[in-house]
Amino acid sequence: MLKVHDLNLKNDILPLFNYTYSTEAEDLLRQFISKPLNSVDEIYNRQQEIKAFVQNWKVLESFTYQRLDYREAMYFLNEVASNKIVLETQQLKAFIRLTFNYGQRQQLISKCIQVINFLHRLNSRYFSGLSIAAFPASFQKHLQVINAFIHKLEMEKQAGLVAQQQFTLKATIQFSQKLNALTQHETTSFWTSLATFEAYFSITKGILTHHFAFPVFAEDAFELKQFYHPSLKKPVKNDLCLASTDNVILLTGPNMSGKSTLLRAVSLCVYLAHLGLAVPAASAVLPYFDTVAVAINTNDSLQDGYSHFMAEIINLKSVVQEANSGKSCFAVFDELFRGTNTDDALDITTTTINGLAKYNRCYFIISTHLLHLKSATEIPGVKQFSIACELQENLPVFTYRLQEGWSDLKIGRILFEKEGIPELLERIQLTG
């Protein structure tokens, strides 16, 4: 099960890795970040694919092209492959027809040269300099498709003729014959492989730009060192190291202390790791989870007719059902059951935590403002953390530092009085 809508894939995650130039590559990138992989082996394989790009980064660092050149080359080759543009294959007929049709001749020469320049530039600057052996077999097939396509068109020879201004009508007709010999499958496979290559380049550039680290997977470890949320300009980095028996993590701290941001940061590390990508941390050792569920912005669902509280119940139920089926779960609940009254919330949250603490191979992180939970949850399987906040001259100073232990600090009344609301209310009474 996957429920990560609250991680805001489009606005928060995609921009971290999106250095694509084509719509096709961006679409593939969107697919990559929306589909966690099915096993640790698949994750490690994708990591190896990305690491091969890192090894070849001296060659690929400047990878770029003009979008218009890409679109024009793709359109022309696809039209030829699908026979929407028919090129004369008999050399004599083509020579006679094009000799006496200046406009058609110039248009064909221009289109051919545009394709040649585009493909030759990519090949000479990037593809020809790659160490293909560094890539796992799963990605080598894409490079082989690209290289076979370029080789079949004799791109070096064509580019040499263009550079020497010897791409004559005869050379144009001969190149047209090579284009005609391409099958639609070959052409489609080439563009798909090129888009895949660009999507991986984009991911790699994002990882290197943000200095993310590749995680390691282990069944009985959950260790994030110096993790943070990359959307913040100056993030505070924290550590979170859990034992395999720490099934429920209770997070406390006053309003504005950064609980929701920290939950997003931890969830983002877990989610990116399951995509086979690097994570915003100095290092990470994580279990593989069958279920990843993040509930940070649970709202009423008008379409389904759910109230806020019922939406929380449905989210929790789906996670518990997954855990009951024997699946390993990672789930985050921000202020669980805030959609009901305090007494109700305290009662059912205590029951929930006591139940969740019994599930092995699962980690449940719950933030709460219910301070009476402290004594009720001092049980095996539950670990208490808080985000540090200090009072200086009776004003809160937020450190955003994660620490073990419980926070009893209340700053609501302090901020209420700081803004002068009691005086304003008193003034209303005096003038009423």
Side-chain angles (χ1 to χ4, degrees):
M1 185 182 78
L2 178 67
K3 289 188 176 182
V4 293
H5 176 76
D6 290 350
L7 288 181
N8 201 353
L9 302 185
K10 179 180 177 181
N11 296 324
D12 287 348
I13 297 182
L14 181 64
L16 297 173
F17 304 101
N18 192 5
Y19 296 89
T20 59
Y21 301 100
S22 71
T23 303
E24 291 75 17
E26 184 173 346
D27 287 343
L28 280 177
L29 180 59
R30 291 178 187 275
Q31 292 179 32
F32 287 165
I33 68 169
S34 63
K35 295 180 180 179
L37 299 172
N38 296 318
S39 68
V40 174
D41 287 342
E42 288 187 15
I43 290 172
Y44 280 142
N45 186 73
R46 179 167 287 176
Q47 287 187 7
Q48 289 304 313
E49 291 173 334
I50 298 170
K51 289 177 180 179
F53 274 79
V54 174
Q55 292 179 42
N56 283 279
W57 198 243
K58 286 186 178 181
V59 176
L60 296 173
E61 186 175 10
S62 62
F63 179 83
T64 186
Y65 58 78
Q66 294 297 318
R67 298 187 186 202
L68 180 60
D69 293 340
Y70 170 89
R71 301 305 318 175
E72 291 291 330
M74 172 183 270
Y75 177 80
F76 179 64
L77 290 179
N78 286 346
E79 293 289 281
V80 172
S82 62
N83 293 320
K84 292 181 179 179
I85 294 179
V86 179
L87 301 178
E88 180 60 64
T89 57
Q90 294 186 16
Q91 187 164 332
L92 181 58
K93 287 184 178 180
F95 189 85
I96 294 173
R97 179 165 56 83
L98 294 174
T99 298
F100 295 99
N101 191 326
Y102 177 82
Q104 189 177 19
R105 180 174 74 249
Q106 292 304 114
Q107 184 181 39
L108 179 59
I109 292 175
S110 176
K111 290 292 185 183
C112 289
I113 290 177
Q114 192 169 31
V115 168
I116 291 167
N117 286 339
F118 175 74
L119 295 180
H120 178 256
R121 182 181 181 277
L122 290 180
N123 186 54
S124 62
R125 293 192 179 188
Y126 311 115
F127 299 130
S128 64
L130 292 178
S131 173
I132 297 180
F135 293 87
S138 57
F139 200 87
Q140 283 187 19
K141 63 182 182 181
H142 292 295
L143 298 177
Q144 290 164 358
V145 167
I146 291 171
N147 289 334
F149 190 87
I150 291 173
H151 177 75
K152 191 170 183 177
L153 294 177
E154 296 183 340
M155 203 50 58
E156 284 296 321
K157 174 184 175 182
Q158 313 301 335
L161 293 174
V162 172
Q164 298 167 20
Q165 296 184 339
Q166 293 179 4
F167 197 73
T168 60
L169 177 56
K170 180 180 178 181
T172 302
I173 295 171
Q174 290 174 343
F175 184 63
S176 298
Q177 291 172 333
K178 294 185 180 299
L179 295 179
N180 260 329
L182 293 170
T183 66
Q184 190 165 5
H185 174 73
E186 287 175 320
T187 303
T188 301
S189 297
F190 169 76
W191 292 117
T192 299
S193 291
L194 181 58
T196 303
F197 180 90
E198 186 179 329
Y200 271 86
F201 156 80
S202 182
I203 289 170
T204 307
K205 185 170 183 178
I207 289 171
L208 294 175
T209 298
H210 300 293
H211 306 289
F212 290 175
F214 286 100
V216 174
F217 284 82
E219 287 188 8
D220 298 326
F222 192 113
E223 298 179 2
L224 293 174
K225 297 291 184 69
Q226 296 293 288
F227 74 93
Y228 61 97
H229 199 291
S231 294
L232 300 177
K233 291 183 178 179
K234 294 181 179 180
V236 173
K237 299 180 179 180
N238 284 293
D239 295 344
L240 179 61
C241 299
L242 305 173
S244 60
T245 54
D246 296 331
N247 305 115
V248 178
I249 296 87
L250 272 182
L251 179 64
T252 54
N255 284 329
M256 301 184 294
S257 61
K259 295 190 299 299
S260 295
T261 299
L262 186 134
L263 293 179
R264 284 191 176 89
V266 175
S267 301
L268 182 60
C269 287
V270 171
Y271 183 67
L272 291 180
H274 284 67
L275 298 178
L277 307 186
V279 305
S283 65
V285 182
L286 298 168
Y288 176 82
F289 295 108
D290 302 305
T291 291
V292 176
V294 180
I296 296 177
N297 295 319
T298 305
N299 296 311
D300 296 359
S301 174
L302 296 176
Q303 183 178 1
D304 296 328
Y306 292 145
S307 67
H308 182 99
F309 176 68
M310 196 60 197
E312 291 181 305
I313 291 291
I314 295 300
N315 283 335
L316 176 62
K317 180 180 179 180
S318 62
V319 171
V320 172
Q321 287 176 328
E322 292 284 293
N324 276 339
S325 69
K327 294 182 179 179
S328 56
C329 299
F330 172 84
V332 168
F333 303 97
D334 192 13
E335 295 185 37
L336 186 61
F337 300 132
R338 65 182 182 270
T340 187
N341 65 76
T342 304
D343 291 337
D344 219 10
L346 181 61
D347 179 32
I348 59 180
T349 301
T350 301
T351 301
T352 297
I353 292 171
N354 288 335
L356 295 179
K358 299 174 183 178
Y359 288 107
N360 296 322
R361 299 172 57 243
C362 294
Y363 291 89
F364 307 100
I365 307 180
I366 302 172
S367 70
T368 184
H369 283 298
L370 300 173
L371 301 185
H372 291 295
L373 279 173
K374 180 180 180 181
S375 58
T377 58
E378 291 176 337
I379 59 175
V382 178
K383 192 155 189 177
Q384 298 175 351
F385 284 87
S386 63
I387 299 183
C389 178
E390 303 170 354
L391 288 179
Q392 295 183 7
E393 298 181 357
N394 206 35
L395 291 178
V397 176
F398 301 106
T399 67
Y400 308 108
R401 292 289 181 188
L402 182 66
Q403 59 186 13
E404 289 193 36
W406 192 269
S407 173
D408 293 306
L409 184 62
K410 303 176 184 178
I411 65 170
R413 185 73 190 185
I414 295 172
L415 297 177
F416 182 78
E417 294 179 352
K418 178 179 180 295
E419 294 301 319
I421 295 178
E423 289 80 1
L424 291 173
L425 294 172
E426 183 68 23
R427 189 179 306 167
I428 291 174
Q429 294 175 7
L430 293 175
T431 59

